[in-house]
Amino acid sequence: MTAITTAPAKAGEVQLDRDIFLRRLLRELAGTLQEIVGLEEASGYISVVGAAMGEHIDAEYRRALAVERLSRTQVAAVLVDLKQRIRGDFFVIEESEDRLVLGNRACPFGDFVLGRPSLCMMTSNVFGSIAAENLGYAGVELERTIAQGHAGCRVVVHLRPSAQALPGLREYFRRDHASA
């Protein structure tokens, strides 16, 4: 068998590396799901993946910090740190007993997130899983997202259940509280 060789593309001609490939792959998967089953169902599928990712990431941080549960301040720091590690630009706007408010200037998915709001369920579920597992409850509200065309994101993580229903709020509970 002889190898067929071709001249490699000049540097810069092909915009492809593992990061771009994986982000485009996720964009296309999310887009296909949104087109076939609709935005709500696509968000549901991505939520399942986000919850699994949240559990894994939470365990990694708790192991690294050698704690059984993260405090509220540690949860806020972990949410910012994990997003920075994957090239997001999240920051804490507010931290109180009732909620964490985070802003974001850069999506880890980059421009690949535009028009794919179902991908925001990764943030919702990762944040919700980590906060709930450590603090008992989280209600995540994606007030603004880059995927929807905003310049940045504003994510509110409610740490106590609300007496009234909040539109768009996704609730998360510590696993030992979920069946109670």
Side-chain angles (χ1 to χ4, degrees):
M1 175 191 271
T2 55
I4 299 173
T5 59
T6 59
K10 292 180 184 174
E13 285 182 11
V14 177
Q15 296 295 313
L16 183 63
D17 62 20
R18 182 170 60 177
D19 181 61
I20 289 172
F21 174 79
L22 292 174
R23 284 188 291 150
R24 182 169 301 283
L25 174 69
L26 288 171
R27 174 183 169 73
E28 296 306 323
L29 283 170
T32 300
L33 278 171
Q34 285 177 206
E35 289 173 17
I36 293 174
V37 299
L39 177 58
E40 190 173 325
E41 290 294 321
S43 295
Y45 287 118
I46 292 171
S47 293
V48 172
V49 175
M53 293 294 293
E55 286 181 26
H56 172 74
I57 292 168
D58 178 51
E60 284 293 309
Y61 276 97
R62 287 192 287 148
R63 181 193 55 75
L65 296 170
V67 295
E68 188 170 325
R69 298 246 188 258
L70 301 170
S71 69
R72 183 186 73 237
T73 300
Q74 287 173 316
V75 166
V78 162
L79 299 182
V80 169
D81 183 69
L82 77 88
K83 287 296 190 169
Q84 288 178 348
R85 288 175 184 265
I86 60 172
R87 297 188 189 157
D89 190 15
F90 277 74
F91 54 93
V92 176
I93 295 171
E94 175 189 330
E95 178 189 335
S96 71
E97 288 185 26
D98 294 331
R99 68 189 199 157
L100 303 171
V101 181
L102 296 110
N104 176 38
R105 294 175 286 251
C107 181
F109 294 113
D111 288 343
F112 294 104
V113 79
L114 297 174
R116 300 297 190 265
S118 61
L119 287 173
C120 298
M121 289 302 102
M122 290 298 291
T123 295
S124 180
N125 279 271
V126 169
F127 281 16
S129 295
I130 292 171
E133 194 57 34
N134 290 283
L135 305 174
Y137 170 84
V140 179
E141 188 179 3
L142 303 171
E143 287 186 351
R144 289 191 304 270
T145 67
I146 293 169
Q148 296 170 326
H150 297 280
C153 301
R154 181 178 167 94
V155 180
V156 180
V157 181
H158 299 271
L159 302 176
R160 297 178 188 204
S162 175
Q164 63 186 47
L166 298 171
L169 184 77
R170 298 182 64 87
E171 293 186 294
Y172 304 86
F173 300 89
R174 184 182 293 151
R175 280 175 285 184
D176 57 49
H177 288 170
S179 60

